[in-house]
Amino acid sequence: MSEIKKLAGQTIWYGVPTIVSRFLGYLMNMALPFLFAQPAKTADITQVYAIIPFLNVLFTYGLETAYFRFSQEKERQHLYNTLSVSLFVSSILFTVILYISRFYIAEAFNLTAHPEYLSWMCGIIFFDALATLAFARLRQENRPRRYAFVRVAGIVVNLTIVFFFLGFLPGYTSRHPEGFLAMIQRLDIGIGYYLIGNLLGSIATFLLLIPEWKEVKLEFDSVLWKEIMHYSYPLIIVGLGGMVNEMLSRLVYQHLVDLPAEQAKHELGIFANVYRLSVLITIMIQAFRMAAEPFFFNQSKNEGAQKSYARVMKFFVIACCFMFLLIGLYLDVLKWIITLKSEAWGEGMYIVPILAMGNIFLGIYYNLSIWFKLTGKNLSGAYITLAGAVITIILNVLLIPRLHYLGAALATFSCYLFMMVISYILGQRYYPVPYAKKKLLSYLVLVSVIVLLHRLLLYFYSPLWFSIATGTIMLLAFGAFVAKVEKREWTNLRRVGKSISQ
């Protein structure tokens, strides 16, 4: 149980900056319907943020996971030096290539009206890449407080810039049209301040990580580097395939729907906003992964590691089920908030539960994927992700023209369901873990039925107060059910809470 306590505590600490970043990002995204009446205005920025994750995978090329893997058997400082030198040189090279190619990228993704977005994107990716290993070292050394401080500081800078230029400045300059700030306002950067804020936040994060960079010595072990590249190159395939599964629908949406350009941008803006409403699930997944990856590697040589992994999976699925209910049962509240200025932003809300459940499947897959990382079968993970990417591509091409963003949501759901199932089957063959599969499957089915039943009730009677009241009753009923079924585990969790508070 001590291992679970440690993971729970670190998940909270690593989750704090993840939750804060996602929540603040969520606030910024929630502000879009109040700043821009038409969803089409946000389409270009959506495209840029769909490109960035692909490039992040290429810029970091699996070094983070490789660092955790090889730090178990190599001298850590020597490993850190070699990987840091590699990352620094490659980041400069890749950024130069990316900057030279930015106009071609703009043409490919309908961003010719704002090529400056891609210039700012280059800076974001460069500084984020340089921060990767420093953050990995903090996680490896179990320094979650410093990790949290640096993450949150960069987020605060980002948030401050965005809300100053888009929230405060327009009103101020309307009252003081002759001041210096009015000149800045006349630049008409608009939603581009989201990228500028992101860039300055990334720079601030890098500057705060300089103490970690000062620990790097200029040494490079080519033999060690080749060994690491042999391990990590399948992770690049995994990462790129994962980005195809997550981001492809937003990249290709305008090309697949047979609509006028402005209407296509309108639907893309709506779909991107609706996708973000499943943020609670992705918060849980990212916070968990920050703590779980080093935890899994550190526990792999201990007796009874598989039982620990099974218990971790159960806690994770239960937490995700509660978050799924929070999203699904209070969907009308979310819709009411985002449509205060324009009803257009409320379109497509019905696909949020589909995306949320798909993201739960993704989180379970991340838990299951430990089998190929521990057994060195990273190519198996690459094949699973590539198969998922093929499913994503085929379903997006087939469904988006017919069902629009419902088709994109179904493609995401189907892809992650497939990846979860196939990873479980293969994992039990090569690295069996005694997961409580029947119980976990029952929880997932139950919360899905609860959300469907709630929507059915609202079909007959739909005032907002009734939606909130019935949703709350159902959420509490599920909580009471789980507490009864997991009575012994909840007792242990209360002990974890006391341990963390001390």
Side-chain angles (χ1 to χ4, degrees):
M1 190 63 192
S2 60
E3 292 83 4
I4 303 296
K5 289 181 180 180
K6 185 176 181 181
L7 177 61
Q10 291 187 359
T11 299
I12 290 173
W13 274 105
Y14 291 121
V16 166
T18 305
I19 290 171
V20 169
S21 82
R22 281 305 183 101
F23 182 69
L24 294 180
Y26 182 62
L27 287 180
M28 289 193 291
N29 290 324
M30 287 287 284
L32 288 174
F34 300 97
L35 297 171
F36 304 95
Q38 298 303 318
K41 293 286 187 180
T42 67
D44 287 346
I45 208 79
T46 295
Q47 288 284 82
V48 174
Y49 277 108
I51 296 170
I52 286 176
F54 286 94
L55 296 174
N56 281 335
V57 172
L58 293 175
F59 270 62
T60 56
Y61 47 97
L63 292 188
E64 183 180 42
T65 300
Y67 177 73
F68 291 129
R69 166 67 175 80
F70 284 89
S71 63
Q72 304 303 309
E73 57 189 53
K74 306 292 184 181
E75 200 280 315
R76 288 186 181 178
Q77 185 61 47
H78 182 64
L79 173 68
Y80 185 64
N81 294 338
T82 297
L83 295 184
S84 295
V85 170
S86 175
L87 182 65
F88 184 74
V89 173
S90 62
S91 294
I92 293 175
L93 176 62
F94 292 164
T95 302
V96 170
I97 295 173
L98 182 62
Y99 185 78
I100 293 173
S101 307
R102 67 191 187 283
F103 292 110
Y104 300 104
I105 298 173
E107 291 181 4
F109 294 101
N110 296 328
L111 293 169
T112 51
H114 296 285
E116 70 277 9
Y117 287 2
L118 297 177
S119 299
W120 300 332
M121 181 188 74
C122 292
I124 292 169
I125 296 170
F126 175 75
F127 287 106
D128 284 352
L130 292 183
T132 302
L133 281 178
F135 277 128
R137 182 165 183 144
L138 292 176
R139 290 163 58 195
Q140 180 65 55
E141 295 177 349
N142 294 326
R143 298 167 63 192
R145 289 171 176 81
R146 173 157 172 74
Y147 177 95
F149 167 74
V150 176
R151 280 288 190 197
V152 172
I155 296 159
V156 169
V157 171
N158 185 356
L159 183 70
T160 301
I161 295 297
V162 171
F163 278 100
F164 175 80
F165 285 102
L166 290 179
F168 166 77
L169 192 59
Y172 178 85
T173 54
S174 66
R175 298 188 301 270
H176 303 83
E178 302 302 326
F180 170 74
L181 292 178
M183 296 175 59
I184 298 177
Q185 181 67 16
R186 283 194 287 270
L187 293 175
D188 194 27
I189 294 175
I191 200 172
Y193 282 116
Y194 272 70
L195 285 169
I196 293 176
N198 195 336
L199 173 58
L200 294 178
S202 296
I203 293 173
T205 298
F206 171 74
L207 293 176
L208 289 172
L209 290 172
I210 285 179
E212 279 65 39
W213 272 96
K214 285 183 177 179
E215 296 176 3
V216 176
K217 297 178 181 178
L218 291 178
E219 61 174 339
F220 183 79
D221 187 334
S222 60
V223 175
L224 174 61
W225 185 82
K226 290 178 182 177
E227 183 181 357
I228 292 169
M229 289 302 101
H230 180 75
Y231 172 85
S232 65
Y233 83 84
L235 298 177
I236 303 174
I237 302 173
V238 171
L240 289 175
M243 290 306 104
V244 167
N245 298 332
E246 184 176 353
M247 296 292 179
L248 182 71
S249 57
R250 279 162 280 180
L251 276 178
V252 303
Y253 194 93
Q254 295 182 80
H255 300 281
L256 291 177
V257 290
D258 185 18
L259 294 170
E262 193 63 20
Q263 181 62 22
K265 286 182 178 290
H266 172 82
E267 287 198 1
L268 175 59
I270 290 172
F271 176 59
N273 191 62
V274 167
Y275 199 100
R276 297 182 193 108
L277 292 178
S278 60
V279 68
L280 285 176
I281 302 296
T282 55
I283 282 174
M284 179 62 195
I285 293 170
Q286 289 199 3
F288 178 82
R289 288 184 70 194
M290 291 293 103
E293 193 165 53
F295 169 83
F296 284 147
F297 281 115
N298 290 335
Q299 291 295 313
S300 61
K301 297 179 182 178
N302 294 347
E303 184 178 353
Q306 285 91 336
K307 291 183 179 179
S308 294
Y309 298 158
R311 297 187 73 193
V312 168
M313 173 70 87
K314 180 165 65 174
F315 293 142
F316 176 81
V317 170
I318 290 173
C320 282
C321 285
F322 276 103
M323 291 187 176
F324 177 78
L325 290 178
L326 285 172
I327 293 172
L329 296 178
Y330 297 100
L331 201 60
D332 291 329
V333 178
L334 293 173
K335 182 177 181 179
W336 175 75
I337 293 172
I338 67 173
T339 56
L340 287 175
K341 183 173 182 178
S342 173
E343 289 292 329
W345 287 97
E347 297 177 26
M349 292 292 289
Y350 62 93
I351 70 172
V352 172
I354 299 173
L355 293 169
M357 184 56 72
N359 276 285
I360 291 179
F361 296 155
L362 176 63
I364 295 173
Y365 166 75
Y366 284 138
N367 274 270
L368 296 170
S369 68
I370 193 63
W371 72 265
F372 61 76
K373 294 179 180 178
L374 291 178
T375 59
K377 297 182 180 296
N378 287 340
L379 274 176
S380 297
Y383 294 146
I384 293 172
T385 308
L386 285 176
V390 170
I391 292 173
T392 299
I393 293 170
I394 292 174
L395 291 182
N396 271 303
V397 171
L398 292 177
L399 298 180
I400 289 179
R402 295 173 174 82
L403 302 176
H404 296 230
Y405 33 71
L406 173 59
L410 291 173
T412 298
F413 179 93
S414 302
C415 165
Y416 292 151
L417 175 62
F418 164 80
M419 292 173 61
M420 177 186 70
V421 172
I422 196 67
S423 184
Y424 173 78
I425 293 172
L426 293 177
Q428 293 303 97
R429 179 185 302 175
Y430 295 105
Y431 191 83
V433 175
Y435 297 116
K437 57 182 182 296
K438 291 183 179 179
K439 180 183 289 188
L440 300 185
L441 182 60
S442 298
Y443 286 149
L444 293 173
V445 172
L446 180 58
V447 294
S448 299
V449 171
I450 289 173
V451 170
L452 288 172
L453 178 60
H454 185 246
R455 300 316 299 176
L456 181 62
L457 288 174
L458 296 178
Y459 179 79
F460 296 102
Y461 189 65
S462 59
L464 184 60
W465 70 266
F466 181 75
S467 175
I468 295 173
T470 53
T472 301
I473 292 171
M474 290 179 173
L475 179 62
L476 293 175
F478 178 75
F481 172 76
V482 173
K484 183 177 181 179
V485 174
E486 305 288 348
K487 185 176 181 180
R488 180 180 299 178
E489 292 290 11
W490 288 127
T491 300
N492 290 332
L493 280 179
R494 284 195 293 270
R495 293 173 183 168
V496 171
K498 293 179 180 179
S499 172
I500 293 170
S501 65
Q502 293 172 357

Coordinates of all heavy atoms in Angstrom, one line a residue, residues 133-182:
L133 N 13.5 17.6 -20.9 CA 14.4 16.7 -20.1 C 14.5 17.3 -18.7 O 14.6 16.6 -17.7 CB 15.7 16.6 -20.7 CG 15.8 15.5 -21.8 CD1 17.2 15.5 -22.4 CD2 15.4 14.2 -21.3
A134 N 14.5 18.6 -18.6 CA 14.6 19.2 -17.2 C 13.4 18.8 -16.4 O 13.5 18.5 -15.2 CB 14.7 20.8 -17.3
F135 N 12.2 18.9 -17.0 CA 11.0 18.4 -16.3 C 11.1 16.9 -15.9 O 10.7 16.5 -14.9 CB 9.7 18.7 -17.1 CG 9.2 20.1 -16.9 CD1 9.0 20.9 -18.0 CD2 9.0 20.6 -15.7 CE1 8.5 22.2 -17.9 CE2 8.5 21.9 -15.5 CZ 8.3 22.7 -16.7
A136 N 11.6 16.1 -16.9 CA 11.7 14.7 -16.6 C 12.7 14.4 -15.5 O 12.4 13.5 -14.7 CB 12.2 14.0 -17.9
R137 N 13.7 15.2 -15.4 CA 14.7 15.0 -14.3 C 14.0 15.4 -12.9 O 14.2 14.7 -11.9 CB 15.9 15.9 -14.5 CG 16.9 15.8 -13.4 CD 18.3 16.4 -13.8 NE 19.3 16.2 -12.7 CZ 20.5 15.9 -13.0 NH1 21.0 15.8 -14.2 NH2 21.4 15.8 -12.0
L138 N 13.2 16.4 -12.9 CA 12.5 16.8 -11.7 C 11.5 15.6 -11.3 O 11.4 15.3 -10.1 CB 11.7 18.1 -11.9 CG 12.5 19.3 -12.0 CD1 11.6 20.5 -12.3 CD2 13.4 19.6 -10.8
R139 N 10.9 15.0 -12.2 CA 10.0 13.9 -11.9 C 10.8 12.7 -11.5 O 10.4 12.0 -10.5 CB 9.2 13.6 -13.2 CG 8.1 14.6 -13.5 CD 7.6 14.4 -14.9 NE 7.0 13.1 -15.2 CZ 6.8 12.6 -16.4 NH1 7.1 13.3 -17.4 NH2 6.3 11.4 -16.5
Q140 N 11.9 12.4 -12.1 CA 12.7 11.3 -11.7 C 13.3 11.4 -10.3 O 13.4 10.4 -9.6 CB 13.9 11.1 -12.8 CG 14.8 9.9 -12.5 CD 14.1 8.6 -12.6 OE1 13.5 8.3 -13.6 NE2 14.1 7.8 -11.5
E141 N 13.6 12.6 -10.0 CA 14.2 12.9 -8.7 C 13.2 13.1 -7.6 O 13.5 13.5 -6.5 CB 15.2 14.1 -8.7 CG 16.4 13.8 -9.6 CD 17.3 15.1 -9.8 OE1 16.8 16.2 -9.4 OE2 18.4 14.9 -10.3
N142 N 11.9 12.9 -7.9 CA 10.8 13.1 -7.0 C 10.8 14.5 -6.4 O 10.8 14.7 -5.2 CB 10.8 12.0 -5.9 CG 10.6 10.6 -6.4 OD1 9.8 10.4 -7.4 ND2 11.3 9.7 -5.9
R143 N 10.8 15.5 -7.3 CA 10.8 16.9 -6.8 C 9.5 17.6 -7.4 O 9.5 18.5 -8.1 CB 12.0 17.6 -7.3 CG 13.3 17.1 -6.7 CD 14.5 17.6 -7.4 NE 14.6 19.0 -7.3 CZ 15.5 19.8 -8.0 NH1 16.3 19.2 -8.9 NH2 15.5 21.1 -7.8
P144 N 8.3 17.1 -7.0 CA 7.1 17.6 -7.6 C 6.8 19.0 -7.2 O 6.1 19.7 -8.0 CB 6.0 16.6 -7.0 CG 6.6 16.1 -5.7 CD 8.1 16.0 -6.0
R145 N 7.3 19.5 -6.1 CA 7.0 20.9 -5.7 C 7.6 21.9 -6.7 O 7.0 22.9 -7.1 CB 7.4 21.2 -4.3 CG 6.5 20.5 -3.2 CD 7.1 20.6 -1.8 NE 6.2 20.0 -0.9 CZ 6.1 18.7 -0.6 NH1 6.9 17.8 -1.3 NH2 5.2 18.2 0.3
R146 N 8.9 21.7 -7.0 CA 9.5 22.5 -7.9 C 8.9 22.4 -9.3 O 8.7 23.4 -10.0 CB 11.0 22.3 -8.0 CG 11.8 23.0 -9.1 CD 13.2 23.2 -8.9 NE 13.9 23.8 -10.1 CZ 13.8 25.0 -10.5 NH1 13.0 25.9 -9.8 NH2 14.4 25.5 -11.5
Y147 N 8.6 21.1 -9.7 CA 7.9 20.9 -10.9 C 6.6 21.7 -11.0 O 6.4 22.4 -12.0 CB 7.6 19.4 -11.1 CG 6.9 19.0 -12.3 CD1 7.5 18.6 -13.4 CD2 5.5 19.1 -12.4 CE1 6.8 18.2 -14.6 CE2 4.8 18.7 -13.5 CZ 5.4 18.3 -14.6 OH 4.7 18.0 -15.7
A148 N 5.9 21.7 -9.9 CA 4.6 22.4 -9.9 C 4.8 23.9 -10.0 O 4.1 24.6 -10.7 CB 3.8 22.0 -8.7
F149 N 5.8 24.4 -9.3 CA 6.1 25.8 -9.3 C 6.4 26.3 -10.7 O 5.9 27.3 -11.2 CB 7.2 26.2 -8.3 CG 7.7 27.6 -8.5 CD1 7.0 28.7 -8.0 CD2 9.0 27.8 -9.1 CE1 7.5 30.0 -8.2 CE2 9.4 29.1 -9.3 CZ 8.7 30.2 -8.8
V150 N 7.3 25.6 -11.4 CA 7.7 26.1 -12.7 C 6.6 26.0 -13.7 O 6.4 26.9 -14.5 CB 8.9 25.2 -13.2 CG1 9.3 25.6 -14.6 CG2 10.1 25.4 -12.3
R151 N 5.8 24.9 -13.7 CA 4.7 24.8 -14.6 C 3.7 25.9 -14.4 O 3.2 26.5 -15.3 CB 4.0 23.4 -14.3 CG 4.7 22.2 -15.0 CD 4.5 22.2 -16.5 NE 5.0 21.0 -17.1 CZ 5.2 20.8 -18.4 NH1 5.1 21.9 -19.2 NH2 5.6 19.7 -18.9
V152 N 3.3 26.1 -13.1 CA 2.3 27.1 -12.9 C 2.8 28.5 -13.2 O 2.0 29.3 -13.7 CB 1.8 27.0 -11.4 CG1 0.9 28.2 -11.0 CG2 1.2 25.7 -11.1
A153 N 4.0 28.8 -12.9 CA 4.6 30.1 -13.3 C 4.5 30.4 -14.8 O 4.1 31.5 -15.2 CB 6.0 30.2 -12.8
G154 N 4.8 29.4 -15.6 CA 4.7 29.6 -17.0 C 3.3 29.8 -17.5 O 2.9 30.6 -18.3
I155 N 2.3 29.1 -16.8 CA 0.9 29.2 -17.1 C 0.4 30.6 -16.8 O -0.4 31.2 -17.5 CB 0.1 28.1 -16.4 CG1 0.5 26.7 -16.9 CG2 -1.4 28.3 -16.6 CD1 0.2 25.6 -15.9
V156 N 0.8 31.1 -15.6 CA 0.4 32.4 -15.2 C 0.8 33.5 -16.1 O 0.1 34.4 -16.5 CB 0.9 32.7 -13.7 CG1 0.7 34.2 -13.4 CG2 0.2 31.8 -12.7
V157 N 2.1 33.4 -16.6 CA 2.5 34.4 -17.6 C 1.6 34.3 -18.9 O 1.2 35.3 -19.4 CB 4.0 34.1 -18.0 CG1 4.4 34.9 -19.2 CG2 4.9 34.4 -16.8
N158 N 1.4 33.1 -19.3 CA 0.5 32.9 -20.5 C -0.8 33.5 -20.3 O -1.3 34.3 -21.1 CB 0.4 31.4 -20.8 CG -0.4 31.1 -22.0 OD1 -0.9 32.0 -22.7 ND2 -0.5 29.8 -22.4
L159 N -1.5 33.2 -19.2 CA -2.8 33.7 -18.9 C -2.8 35.2 -18.8 O -3.7 35.9 -19.3 CB -3.3 33.1 -17.6 CG -4.7 33.4 -17.1 CD1 -5.7 32.8 -18.0 CD2 -4.9 33.0 -15.7
T160 N -1.8 35.8 -18.1 CA -1.7 37.2 -17.9 C -1.7 38.0 -19.3 O -2.4 39.0 -19.5 CB -0.5 37.6 -17.1 OG1 -0.6 37.0 -15.8 CG2 -0.5 39.1 -16.9
I161 N -0.9 37.5 -20.2 CA -0.7 38.1 -21.5 C -2.1 38.1 -22.3 O -2.5 39.1 -22.8 CB 0.4 37.4 -22.3 CG1 1.7 37.6 -21.7 CG2 0.4 37.9 -23.8 CD1 2.2 39.0 -21.6
V162 N -2.7 36.9 -22.3 CA -3.9 36.7 -23.0 C -5.0 37.6 -22.5 O -5.7 38.4 -23.2 CB -4.4 35.2 -23.0 CG1 -5.8 35.1 -23.6 CG2 -3.4 34.4 -23.8
F163 N -5.2 37.6 -21.2 CA -6.3 38.4 -20.6 C -6.0 39.9 -20.6 O -7.0 40.7 -20.6 CB -6.7 37.9 -19.2 CG -7.6 36.7 -19.3 CD1 -7.1 35.4 -19.1 CD2 -9.0 36.8 -19.6 CE1 -7.9 34.3 -19.2 CE2 -9.8 35.7 -19.7 CZ -9.3 34.5 -19.5
F164 N -4.8 40.3 -20.6 CA -4.4 41.7 -20.7 C -4.8 42.2 -22.0 O -5.5 43.3 -22.2 CB -3.0 41.9 -20.4 CG -2.5 43.4 -20.5 CD1 -2.8 44.3 -19.5 CD2 -1.9 43.8 -21.7 CE1 -2.4 45.7 -19.7 CE2 -1.6 45.1 -21.9 CZ -1.8 46.1 -20.9
F165 N -4.3 41.5 -23.1 CA -4.5 42.1 -24.4 C -5.9 41.8 -25.0 O -6.4 42.6 -25.8 CB -3.5 41.5 -25.4 CG -2.1 42.0 -25.2 CD1 -1.1 41.4 -24.5 CD2 -1.8 43.3 -25.7 CE1 0.1 41.9 -24.3 CE2 -0.5 43.9 -25.5 CZ 0.4 43.2 -24.8
L166 N -6.6 40.7 -24.6 CA -7.9 40.5 -25.1 C -9.0 40.8 -24.2 O -10.2 41.1 -24.6 CB -8.0 39.0 -25.5 CG -7.2 38.5 -26.7 CD1 -7.4 37.0 -26.9 CD2 -7.5 39.3 -27.9
G167 N -8.7 40.9 -22.9 CA -9.8 41.2 -21.9 C -9.8 42.6 -21.4 O -10.8 43.3 -21.4
F168 N -8.6 43.1 -21.1 CA -8.5 44.5 -20.5 C -8.2 45.6 -21.6 O -8.9 46.6 -21.6 CB -7.3 44.5 -19.5 CG -6.9 45.9 -19.1 CD1 -7.7 46.7 -18.2 CD2 -5.7 46.5 -19.6 CE1 -7.3 47.9 -17.8 CE2 -5.3 47.8 -19.3 CZ -6.1 48.5 -18.4
L169 N -7.3 45.3 -22.5 CA -6.9 46.4 -23.4 C -8.0 46.9 -24.3 O -8.0 48.2 -24.5 CB -5.7 45.8 -24.3 CG -4.9 46.9 -25.1 CD1 -4.3 47.9 -24.2 CD2 -3.8 46.2 -25.9
P170 N -8.9 46.1 -24.9 CA -9.9 46.7 -25.8 C -10.7 47.8 -25.1 O -11.0 48.8 -25.6 CB -10.7 45.5 -26.2 CG -9.8 44.4 -26.1 CD -8.9 44.6 -25.0
G171 N -11.2 47.5 -23.8 CA -12.0 48.4 -23.1 C -11.2 49.7 -22.7 O -11.7 50.8 -22.8
Y172 N -9.9 49.5 -22.3 CA -9.1 50.6 -21.9 C -8.8 51.5 -23.0 O -8.9 52.8 -22.9 CB -7.8 50.1 -21.3 CG -6.8 51.2 -20.9 CD1 -6.9 51.7 -19.6 CD2 -5.8 51.6 -21.8 CE1 -6.0 52.8 -19.2 CE2 -4.9 52.6 -21.4 CZ -5.0 53.2 -20.1 OH -4.2 54.2 -19.7
T173 N -8.5 51.0 -24.2 CA -8.1 51.9 -25.3 C -9.4 52.6 -25.9 O -9.2 53.6 -26.5 CB -7.5 51.0 -26.5 OG1 -8.3 49.9 -26.8 CG2 -6.1 50.5 -26.0
S174 N -10.5 52.0 -25.7 CA -11.7 52.7 -26.1 C -12.0 54.0 -25.3 O -12.5 55.0 -25.8 CB -13.0 51.8 -26.0 OG -13.2 51.5 -24.7
R175 N -11.5 54.0 -24.0 CA -11.6 55.1 -23.2 C -10.4 56.1 -23.3 O -10.5 57.2 -23.0 CB -11.7 54.7 -21.7 CG -13.0 53.8 -21.4 CD -13.2 53.6 -19.9 NE -12.0 52.9 -19.4 CZ -11.9 51.6 -19.3 NH1 -12.9 50.8 -19.8 NH2 -10.9 51.0 -18.7
H176 N -9.3 55.5 -23.8 CA -8.1 56.3 -23.9 C -7.5 56.1 -25.3 O -6.5 55.5 -25.5 CB -7.0 56.0 -22.9 CG -7.5 56.1 -21.5 ND1 -8.2 55.1 -20.9 CD2 -7.4 57.1 -20.6 CE1 -8.5 55.4 -19.6 NE2 -8.0 56.7 -19.4
P177 N -8.2 56.6 -26.3 CA -7.8 56.3 -27.7 C -6.5 56.9 -28.2 O -6.0 56.6 -29.3 CB -9.0 56.9 -28.5 CG -9.5 58.0 -27.7 CD -9.3 57.5 -26.3
E178 N -5.9 57.9 -27.4 CA -4.7 58.5 -27.9 C -3.4 58.0 -27.2 O -2.3 58.5 -27.4 CB -4.8 60.0 -27.7 CG -5.9 60.7 -28.4 CD -5.9 60.5 -29.9 OE1 -4.8 60.4 -30.4 OE2 -7.0 60.3 -30.5
G179 N -3.6 57.0 -26.3 CA -2.4 56.6 -25.5 C -1.5 55.6 -26.2 O -1.9 55.2 -27.4
F180 N -0.4 55.2 -25.6 CA 0.5 54.3 -26.2 C -0.1 52.9 -26.4 O 0.1 52.3 -27.5 CB 1.8 54.1 -25.4 CG 2.7 53.0 -25.8 CD1 3.5 53.2 -26.9 CD2 2.8 51.8 -25.1 CE1 4.3 52.2 -27.3 CE2 3.6 50.8 -25.5 CZ 4.4 51.0 -26.6
L181 N -0.9 52.5 -25.5 CA -1.6 51.2 -25.6 C -2.5 51.1 -26.8 O -2.8 50.0 -27.3 CB -2.3 50.8 -24.3 CG -1.4 50.6 -23.1 CD1 -2.2 50.3 -21.8 CD2 -0.5 49.4 -23.3
A182 N -3.1 52.3 -27.2 CA -4.0 52.3 -28.3 C -3.2 51.9 -29.6 O -3.8 51.3 -30.5 CB -4.6 53.7 -28.4

